Amino acid sequence: MVSEFGGGDAPVSGVHRVPRKKGAGNERGIMRLLVIGSGGREHALAWRLAKTPGLQKVFVAPGNAGTAHEHGVENVDLADPQALADFAEQQGVALTVVGPEAPLAGGIVNLFRARGLKIFGPTREAAQLESSKDFAKRFMVRHGIPTARFASFADGRAAHAYVEQQGAPIVVKADGLAAGKGVVVALSVAEAHAAIDSMLGDKRVGGQETARVVIEEYLEGEEASFIVMVDGKNVLALASSQDHKRIGDGDRGPNTGGMGAYSPAPVVTPEVHARTMREIILPTVRGMAADGIPYTGFLYAGLMIGKDASVKTVEFNCRLGDPETQPIMMRLKSDLLNLLEHAVAGRLDEVEASWDRRVALGVVLAAANYPGQPRTGDVILGLPPGSDDSHVFHAGTTGKDGRILTSGGRVLCVTALGDNIRQAQKRAYDAIVGIHFDGMQYRRDIGHRALSR
Ligand code: AMP
Ligand code: GLY
C-alpha cells in the first residue's frame, strides 16, 4: 500500500520477498522486530527501535510513507492477524509490538502467544480495560480505583431519566472502541439527551453496533496522560505527557484522536506521580492479576488532576497514546528493545528508563475535514529532513509515483526537542513552516497549558 514510495527500503508484499533468516532472534546483529500499526505512534516506535545498536531490521505492518523511508525499517503490507503470525514465524521475528487497540481487542496477543511467538501487549481479555468502558468502570469500582461516578444503560428511556435526575454538565460515552470520538461532554441536559439518542440509535459509532451508553459525572481539573509498561506484575512508568484532544485552539470544537502533545507534563508533579502510581496504576495491575486477567503491555491512564493534586481515571487505554508516543520516544534515552525484552520476560523490576531532560513537543497536521471523514489524496510538499532535535513522524501518508499523499485524518506529527517548552514549541512550529498540503489544519497553541504554568 505505501510501498511505491521511492528512496526507502524495498517493499515487501506478503511474506515472500524477504529471505528467511534462520535462527534469528538471539543475537542482535541478526535480530528482526515487528511493529503493528500505521500511525505516528508506530512510526515513532519503529524509529526508536531502529536505533538499537546492531539490530538488523524493524518491520512495520502496514506502516506508512514515513516508515517506508526510515533507515533500518521496512513496511510489510499485512493486517490479518494469522498472516502477521505467519510472517513473524517465517522471518524469525524476535519480538512484536502492537500499536493500536483494535488488533489487541481482537486477540492478536492471544494468537501470537498460542503459537509461541513473543509479543508485547495485553490479551483480548485484558484489553477490555479500553475496549469496554462498562468493563473498565466496573473494574475500577470493584478495586477502589478513583474514577467518575457512573451508570451504564442499554435502555434509552432509563438513560434519559438518569440524565434528568443528575442534571448537567454530564458526560455521555458510547461503550466500545470509538477512537476518542464516542464521548460527549454535555453542558446542558438537552445536549445529553441528544447524545444518548444518537449513540443508542447510531450503529456507526466506533464502527460497531453500540449496545450501551455509559453516563458519567463531569470531572473538573487538568488532564494528563500517564503511560506505563506492565509485565503482569511489575510496572515501569514512562515519562509523563499531555495531549490536546479538541480540534481547535483554546481547546474548542469536537474531540479528535489528539492534535498535539508534549512531554513531560508539568501538571504531573512528583506528588501527582506518586499518587497515580499508588492509587491507580498499582491497584489496576494487582486487580487485573487478582481477577485472573494479568495485564501485560503498555497501559495508559487518562488522568483528571484536581487542584489539590487528587487524581481520577478518565479512561484506560491498553496501548501507547498517539500523539503522546512521538514526544515520549524523542526523550527516551534507554534502549527500548531492552525494556521490551524485560517486559516480555516478566522482569521489568530489573530495569529503569532514562529520559532526555529536555522537553519534546509534537504538533499534528491533520487533513481537510478531520475529525469528520477526512479528505485524502492531497500531495504533501516541503517535508524537512530529520535532525538531532526534530523529526516528522508520519501517520496518514502513503507513497505513490514518487510523491507522498495524505491518506488519513491525522497526517503528520512534527516533533521537536528544546531546553524548555517554549523552545521545543518554537522548533516544532518552525519545522512546519515549509510543509504544505491542501486542506492542512493544525493547532497554533500546542503546549499552552505548560506555558501558562
Ligand atoms: P475518553 O474517550 O473517555 O477519554 O473521553 C474523551 C475526552 O472527554 C477526555 O479526554 C476528556 O477530555 C473528556 N471526558 C471524558 N470523561 C470525562 C468526565 N467524566 N469529565 C470531564 N471530561 C471528560
Ligand atoms: N491521544 C489520546 C490517545 O491516544 O488515546
Side-chain angles (χ1 to χ4, degrees):
M1 53 178 308
V2 296
S3 323
E4 300 101 307
F5 178 66
D9 288 321
V12 187
S13 72
V15 295
H16 319 294
R17 284 162 63 182
V18 179
R20 168 147 198 215
K21 204 84 187 179
K22 281 226 169 64
N26 298 323
E27 271 176 68
R28 285 196 163 183
I30 52 168
M31 195 186 257
R32 295 164 167 206
L33 306 176
L34 173 62
V35 174
I36 295 175
S38 65
R41 165 184 50 210
E42 290 77 25
H43 186 177
L45 276 172
W47 168 82
R48 192 68 194 71
L49 285 169
K51 290 180 184 292
T52 312
L55 191 74
Q56 193 202 17
K57 176 98 59 194
V58 181
F59 295 110
V60 187
N64 55 43
T67 52
H69 210 146
E70 204 66 70
H71 183 73
V73 179
E74 185 167 324
N75 286 351
V76 191
D77 194 6
L78 294 175
D80 173 66
Q82 288 286 359
L84 285 164
D86 291 343
F87 177 83
E89 208 167 82
Q90 284 159 14
Q91 294 299 323
V93 166
L95 177 63
T96 298
V97 186
V98 189
E101 60 273 24
L104 294 166
I108 196 162
V109 170
N110 308 56
L111 172 72
F112 269 57
R113 284 193 188 154
R115 292 179 57 168
L117 295 163
K118 275 191 197 166
I119 187 164
F120 187 58
T123 59
R124 177 195 288 116
E125 295 72 29
Q128 287 180 95
L129 275 183
E130 174 170 4
S131 65
S132 168
K133 292 203 187 282
D134 193 49
F135 173 92
K137 294 300 279 192
R138 289 175 199 280
F139 172 83
M140 285 190 266
V141 170
R142 197 160 61 244
H143 294 283
I145 295 160
T147 188
R149 254 183 303 114
F150 81 106
S152 162
F153 301 93
D155 170 39
R157 267 188 317 196
H160 287 298
Y162 183 74
V163 162
E164 281 301 325
Q165 181 214 332
Q166 296 289 316
I170 194 158
V171 181
V172 184
K173 303 187 175 185
D175 193 30
L177 297 176
K181 288 175 247 170
V183 176
V184 172
V185 179
L187 299 180
S188 69
V189 168
E191 224 181 309
H193 286 312
I196 292 165
D197 284 339
S198 117
M199 285 177 195
L200 287 180
D202 185 350
K203 306 292 186 230
R204 289 165 307 164
V205 176
Q208 64 185 40
E209 199 149 308
T210 304
R212 304 190 75 85
V213 288
V214 171
I215 303 183
E216 277 188 15
E217 164 198 11
Y218 173 77
L219 297 176
E220 258 178 281
E222 187 169 337
E223 283 181 82
S225 308
F226 199 96
I227 308 175
V228 300
M229 294 172 75
V230 187
D231 68 6
K233 197 170 70 205
N234 305 295
V235 175
L236 179 71
L238 301 184
S240 65
S241 58
Q242 226 166 352
D243 184 15
H244 301 59
K245 295 240 165 81
R246 305 297 189 101
I247 187 75
D249 285 3
D251 299 318
R252 278 185 252 274
N255 256 317
T256 69
M259 292 299 290
Y262 50 87
S263 171
V267 68
V268 182
T269 59
E271 183 188 357
V272 168
H273 192 285
R275 285 187 72 166
T276 304
M277 289 296 285
R278 194 172 61 235
E279 295 173 21
I280 298 175
I281 301 293
L282 295 175
T284 299
V285 173
R286 288 193 199 115
M288 291 294 280
D291 289 354
I293 316 173
Y295 192 95
T296 51
F298 293 104
L299 177 65
Y300 167 143
L303 304 180
M304 190 67 84
I305 302 164
K307 284 210 173 12
D308 56 352
S310 64
V311 285
K312 285 195 171 161
T313 317
V314 177
E315 61 165 348
F316 283 121
N317 292 315
C318 61
R319 50 170 176 81
L320 285 161
D322 190 340
E324 290 95 324
T325 303
Q326 292 84 315
I328 289 174
M329 285 300 132
M330 281 207 78
R331 291 189 59 222
L332 179 63
K333 284 175 40 182
S334 314
D335 179 332
L336 176 58
L337 176 56
N338 185 48
L339 301 182
L340 290 166
E341 285 175 322
H342 277 81
V344 169
R347 289 168 34 216
L348 268 181
D349 54 330
E350 296 172 16
V351 281
E352 275 176 42
S354 68
W355 302 97
D356 195 315
R357 58 162 193 82
R358 289 175 293 173
V359 175
L361 180 143
V363 180
V364 169
L365 308 184
N369 205 35
Y370 182 76
Q373 183 65 37
R375 190 175 77 208
T376 58
D378 289 306
V379 180
I380 304 168
L381 299 170
L383 285 169
S387 71
D388 284 346
D389 50 23
S390 77
H391 202 82
V392 179
F393 295 108
H394 289 229
T397 67
T398 185
K400 192 158 194 252
D401 305 330
R403 297 185 304 177
I404 303 180
L405 308 179
T406 63
S407 64
R410 292 186 292 171
V411 176
L412 302 166
C413 182
V414 182
T415 310
L417 284 162
D419 286 331
N420 51 48
I421 184 84
R422 196 174 294 282
Q423 193 182 57
Q425 186 189 51
K426 179 166 186 331
R427 286 204 180 127
Y429 281 103
D430 283 351
I432 290 172
V433 170
I435 304 176
H436 174 82
F437 52 89
D438 282 347
M440 177 168 113
Q441 43 167 342
Y442 61 93
R443 282 180 59 163
R444 266 68 175 177
D445 66 346
I446 300 303
H448 72 93
R449 283 181 201 281
L451 274 170
S452 65
R453 269 181 171 257

